[in-house]
Amino acid sequence: MDITAIKTEPYTDQTLGTSGLRKKVSVIKQQNYVENFVQSVFDCLENFEGKTLVIGGDGRYYNDRAIQAILKIAVANQFGRIIVGQNGILSTPASSHVIVKYGAVGGIILSASHNPGGPDGDFGIKFDNEHGAPAPQELTAKISARTRTIDHFWTVDLPDVDLSQIGEQTFGNTVIQVISSVDDYVAYMQEIFDFGKIKKLFDNGLTFIYDAMNAVTGPYAVRIFEEILGAEKGSVIHAVPLPDFGGLHPEPNLTYAKHLVDLMYTENAPDFAAASDGDGDRYMILAPSFFLNPSDSLAVLTQYLDTIPFYKGRLTGVARSMPTSFAVDAVATDKNLPFYQTPTGWKFFGSLLTANKIALCGEESFGAGSFHLQEKDGIWAILAWLSILAETGKTVEQITRELWQKYGRVFAMLQSYEGLDATDANTLMARLNTQLPTLPGTSIQGETITEAFNFAYTDPVTGEIAQNQGICLLFGTDTRIVFRLSGTGSSGATLRVYLNKRITDPTHFDDAPADALATLAEVSRIVSDLKKLTGRHTPTTIT
Ligand code: G16
């Protein structure tokens, strides 16, 4: 088998964002685009020859083509073993688990997560390190730099590898091992959670629906919820992963999972509803006429996780991303848990998890996870909630209301302005940044800014510094607006505006979030001069 070096020209747009490389399929399909990127990743790794690499993806359009290209490069780069999910399928949390379980040096995950798929949709490539954690900032910077100088990649003349059958095939010095996409992950969930206890919920009549959104989690969810836990057959909907997600936008939130939300506000609502995103790392939970805000969910998980035997005595600390509401902070203080606030991006939790400084972490963008693996994990979060219901005998709504009763309800909303002109969005952020010193003391619509700053973070383990991570305007201790630009889009710019307000008066706990946060939303538009700078007044998505 001949290994050849192919000459190539660098692309200038392969800088990694919040979570790897995300591009339109049409961009990814350009000649040598995938090859350049993947060789750049390998060029930044050390001592991997003869070692193991994991490859998987969420099954979206172009997964099959990209995998074959990557296999050739990986064989040419002399990996000893390449573990691939059957038919190229592995959810992001499953990949993370498989990397650690099989002692791999890392893994390549083909997914643009919650972004739409299909020929006109998005594609993405992420790299996870040997801990199964998203490549840390130092490595992503190195890879981004390498993509701008790369002049050749290595490849072999290999026929397409059959990924449909579980088993091993040898090519030169490399074994390509196709594994079940679901078995290892499901077995791991059974180690963590008491499935017998959760099953009793279903045996006792808990009604349940899980929307896999035609994305990667369908086979995992059918196995876990229907086949093992005994949820009624058909409880998992949109269960078959499709290359274009059947036209669904695989982002479980109030906008893109509206069909599920609508169902939960009818008389036929089941007791518990959940959904996951394209690659299975996000989750949304709903109860009848009740939406569980992800920031509240992190607070509850922090409060109750150690009722699950696997976590007893193991809650070392908790972290949330900065834009995640401060609902969890009071729980951490009460439980005497060390608490960390990181920039947006799961990669910032990795060092804290590895150093055992935290046991769990979460984000407003529907992500939660624990030390069990170093990606966020949608099905884990759902199983954790079901375990908590089983341990406490309470409902999702009861538990969340008790949280509000104790600490006040933190209304939290993300307003996203998608598809902005990138120059307009950058101008808006730059203007806010320049105004920071003069904003404290300013009153808008009766709300007075007490502090204004651009969030910066020093990793307490590695000492790495991340600057310019979002503009925070505080209005006293219980009200806040955060502005940042999304790092996961594939074109134009998305402005994210996060609104938080703690209300302690129980008579207002049932206010609609849109009402509770209406003034703050207006303040966000005025202070940023949104209409004038972007031509927009209304967000495209609200979650
Ligand atoms: C990724 C990151 C998350 C982040 C989210 C949104 O999630 O892992 O940390 O909160 O994107 O990021 P942004 O606001 O920059 O678009 P996922 O599920 O897309 O991998």
Side-chain angles (χ1 to χ4, degrees):
M1 209 181 44
D2 289 337
I3 297 176
T4 28
I6 307 283
K7 273 195 167 11
T8 188
E9 292 287 321
Y11 285 93
T12 53
D13 64 347
Q14 296 196 325
T15 302
L16 286 88
T18 308
S19 187
L21 186 73
R22 294 219 181 141
K23 296 288 171 193
K24 289 264 166 246
V25 167
S26 53
V27 173
I28 289 274
K29 271 182 162 173
Q30 295 173 93
Q31 194 182 16
N32 298 342
Y33 198 89
V34 168
E35 288 83 350
N36 272 18
F37 183 75
V38 172
Q39 184 65 59
S40 299
V41 171
F42 295 160
D43 287 349
C44 295
L45 304 180
E46 282 163 15
N47 303 323
F48 59 81
E49 289 84 0
K51 303 216 171 115
T52 301
L53 175 76
V54 171
I55 306 179
D58 64 7
R60 68 177 59 219
Y61 180 81
Y62 208 59
N63 224 50
D64 49 353
R65 294 317 315 149
I67 283 202
Q68 295 296 340
I70 295 168
L71 283 172
K72 292 180 181 54
I73 301 174
V75 170
N77 278 271
Q78 302 286 302
F79 280 93
R81 180 173 288 266
I82 305 171
I83 296 179
V84 193
Q86 193 172 16
N87 295 316
I89 300 276
L90 277 177
S91 74
T92 289
S95 298
S96 171
H97 172 58
V98 165
I99 289 168
V100 174
K101 175 165 179 177
Y102 293 88
V105 292
I108 291 180
I109 304 172
L110 303 176
S111 171
S113 190
H114 57 282
N115 297 17
D120 301 322
D122 288 353
F123 193 78
I125 310 178
K126 311 191 262 189
F127 180 75
D128 274 8
N129 67 13
E130 75 276 19
H131 303 296
Q137 206 186 205
E138 199 188 348
L139 180 55
T140 57
K142 218 166 141 189
I143 297 169
S144 301
R146 178 62 185 146
T147 63
R148 292 189 281 274
T149 59
I150 189 164
D151 58 7
H152 70 277
F153 61 87
W154 296 100
T155 192
V156 286
D157 190 15
L158 196 75
D160 278 3
V161 181
D162 178 9
L163 300 178
S164 66
Q165 303 302 321
I166 289 170
E168 296 190 354
Q169 305 160 63
T170 303
F171 301 93
N173 297 326
T174 308
V175 174
I176 296 184
Q177 180 183 0
V178 178
I179 61 165
S180 153
S181 310
V182 294
D183 286 358
D184 291 313
Y185 178 81
V186 172
Y188 194 34
M189 290 301 115
Q190 285 177 296
E191 269 176 49
I192 298 172
F193 298 108
D194 184 340
F195 272 41
K197 221 169 202 169
I198 303 175
K199 189 170 186 315
K200 283 208 183 94
L201 289 175
F202 291 99
D203 293 346
N204 292 335
L206 181 92
T207 50
F208 174 87
I209 187 167
Y210 175 90
D211 191 343
M213 303 186 97
N214 292 325
V216 78
T217 56
Y220 299 84
V222 169
R223 174 83 68 84
I224 290 175
F225 298 119
E226 294 187 9
E227 293 172 8
I228 306 180
L229 292 174
E232 203 175 301
K233 209 168 168 346
S235 303
V236 178
I237 60 168
H238 300 126
V240 180
L242 298 173
D244 65 349
F245 306 122
L248 294 176
H249 186 143
E251 180 170 3
N253 62 31
L254 297 174
T255 305
Y256 297 121
K258 192 166 177 307
H259 51 282
L260 194 63
V261 179
D262 287 347
L263 169 74
M264 294 310 285
Y265 283 80
T266 66
E267 279 181 3
N268 300 325
D271 302 321
F272 189 102
S276 290
D277 69 331
D279 61 333
D281 56 6
R282 296 185 181 205
Y283 72 106
M284 178 173 76
I285 291 175
L286 298 151
S289 304
F290 191 83
F291 166 65
L292 175 66
N293 185 287
S295 295
D296 280 349
S297 177
L298 177 64
V300 169
L301 289 172
T302 306
Q303 200 171 9
Y304 287 99
L305 200 65
D306 52 6
T307 62
I308 301 170
F310 182 83
Y311 290 100
K312 214 169 190 61
R314 299 175 81 180
L315 283 200
T316 48
V318 60
R320 65 164 166 84
S321 68
M322 180 274 284
T324 302
S325 99
F326 30 77
V328 65
D329 305 17
V331 180
T333 307
D334 253 12
K335 291 192 80 145
N336 214 6
L337 286 178
F339 163 77
Y340 301 86
Q341 201 181 168
T342 59
T344 293
W346 203 261
K347 58 178 176 264
F348 292 102
F349 295 130
S351 60
L352 299 173
L353 286 164
T354 304
N356 202 20
K357 285 191 174 297
I358 57 169
L360 80 160
C361 42
E363 293 187 298
E364 48 62 45
S365 58
F366 298 84
S370 83
F371 59 76
H372 73 288
L373 55 84
Q374 292 208 3
E375 284 277 3
K376 53 189 187 277
D377 188 347
I379 288 184
W380 171 87
I382 294 160
L383 288 169
W385 262 93
L386 289 170
S387 301
I388 291 168
L389 301 190
E391 296 291 344
T392 60
K394 294 176 184 172
T395 66
V396 171
E397 181 169 351
Q398 259 176 315
I399 288 179
T400 313
R401 283 190 181 279
E402 283 173 11
L403 178 88
W404 299 346
Q405 206 62 45
K406 193 159 179 196
Y407 302 107
R409 175 175 182 185
V410 183
F411 284 90
M413 182 182 276
L414 165 60
Q415 302 196 331
S416 293
Y417 297 83
E418 294 165 332
L420 299 181
D421 177 88
T423 313
D424 292 352
N426 286 323
T427 306
L428 181 147
M429 291 300 286
R431 179 183 159 277
L432 271 175
N433 206 32
T434 328
Q435 286 184 331
L436 290 176
T438 57
L439 284 175
T442 309
S443 286
I444 306 170
Q445 304 268 307
E447 298 280 359
T448 305
I449 301 172
T450 51
E451 277 180 71
F453 56 92
N454 196 328
F455 181 69
Y457 175 70
T458 304
D459 187 308
V461 180
T462 65
E464 269 185 79
I465 294 172
Q467 274 164 334
N468 206 19
Q469 297 296 317
I471 287 179
C472 305
L473 305 183
L474 309 188
F475 305 76
T477 52
D478 284 343
T479 306
R480 178 178 79 154
I481 303 177
V482 175
F483 296 89
R484 56 179 285 281
L485 295 183
S486 160
T488 58
S490 61
S491 57
T494 295
L495 175 68
R496 302 227 189 267
V497 182
Y498 308 84
L499 310 170
N500 294 165
K501 192 180 186 73
R502 187 194 310 276
I503 305 272
T504 47
D505 175 359
T507 62
H508 284 290
F509 284 172
D510 286 313
D511 288 359
D515 295 336
L517 297 167
T519 307
L520 211 53
E522 190 52 23
V523 173
S524 75
R525 290 188 279 265
I526 295 171
V527 76
S528 63
D529 218 355
L530 184 81
K531 183 95 195 280
K532 186 161 153 230
L533 294 177
T534 68
R536 299 284 188 82
H537 187 72
T538 317
T540 33
T541 58
I542 296 181
T543 56

